Amino acid sequence: MAAREPAVLCRGLIKSYGSGATAVSALRGVDIAAYPGELLMLVGPSGCGKTTLISVIAGILERDQGQCSLYGRDLQSMAEAERVAFRGRNIGFVFQAFNLIPTLTVLENVSIPLLINKAGRTAAEERAALALERVGLAGREGALPGELSGGQQQRVAIARALVHEPRLVVCDEPTSALDHRTGAQVMETLRALCSGDGRTLIIVTHDSRIFGYADRIAHMDDGRIERIEEPSRQTRTTP
Ligand code: ADP
Ligand code: MG
């Protein structure tokens, strides 16, 4: 793996919120790399900086110090419009709370990344329908998110994150609003859609029941990566 060009490379990342006496240090010098084709989990207690780290990696949040590149590019050095376009082409997001737009149909929700990337509506909806089929939701295109179960809504969110075939998929606590069985199904879907074509998956979680899906597990505490665990593929379990 070491010989391959990393998808994500962070060195000495430092990030605080606020300033002066009330400043909160969220990242205190983070070194991490993620490689094409791997599922990297970022785990650790609430408040240790996981969301901050993936937000900096995804170019949503500016770092204070250190380096961070995505496929060799530093998002922070880009102009806003270029950064938005780069993110739109290369990154897919999945959130704990699904973040679907309640007034749009499932098909419309999944079409959004393509419309943002300036696809025509018909082409976008055709690809969105295929993405929904891949997550097992064919036939539910016209439903509103509120008409689906939590697990189904998260699969819609996965279809939306993957519809534009991003190289990097970033998930923040994707199973923590779901029961164990539904969470496991969501992880199966994520892994199936991300293995084999060099896509990188970074999943933030404190749900130890899904650790078995990881290729590597980076343990975070208090704004730092404490250690990186590399469960061997042979012993990797599918909970
Ligand atoms: P995690 O995702 O691991 O729970 P976060 O990255 O959300 O951790 O937060 C790391 C630290 O930064 C915490 O102490 C949190 O309270 C603080 N923090 C996060 N976001 C903000 C914010 N917008 N303003 C101020 N402090 C924040
Ligand atoms: Mg968080």
Side-chain angles (χ1 to χ4, degrees), residues 84-107:
V84 169
F86 185 91
R87 221 163 39 209
R89 278 194 309 275
N90 293 288
I91 310 180
F93 297 93
V94 178
F95 305 93
Q96 173 177 4
F98 321 139
N99 291 13
L100 301 172
I101 298 175
T103 53
L104 297 182
T105 66
V106 159
L107 189 69

Side-chain angles (χ1 to χ4, degrees), residues 136-199:
L137 287 174
R140 304 311 308 271
E141 296 83 357
L144 293 172
E147 296 168 339
L148 303 180
S149 70
Q152 288 174 325
Q153 289 184 54
Q154 193 58 303
R155 281 190 283 154
V156 173
I158 291 168
R160 181 186 55 188
L162 286 155
V163 70
H164 56 304
E165 308 207 356
R167 290 190 280 180
L168 174 66
V169 177
V170 176
C171 310
D172 197 354
E173 310 270 6
T175 63
S176 56
L178 306 173
D179 64 62
H180 178 39
R181 194 166 148 263
T182 310
Q185 285 167 352
V186 159
M187 286 306 303
E188 291 290 344
T189 302
L190 271 172
R191 200 164 71 180
L193 293 179
C194 292
S195 61
D197 55 1
R199 190 165 282 144

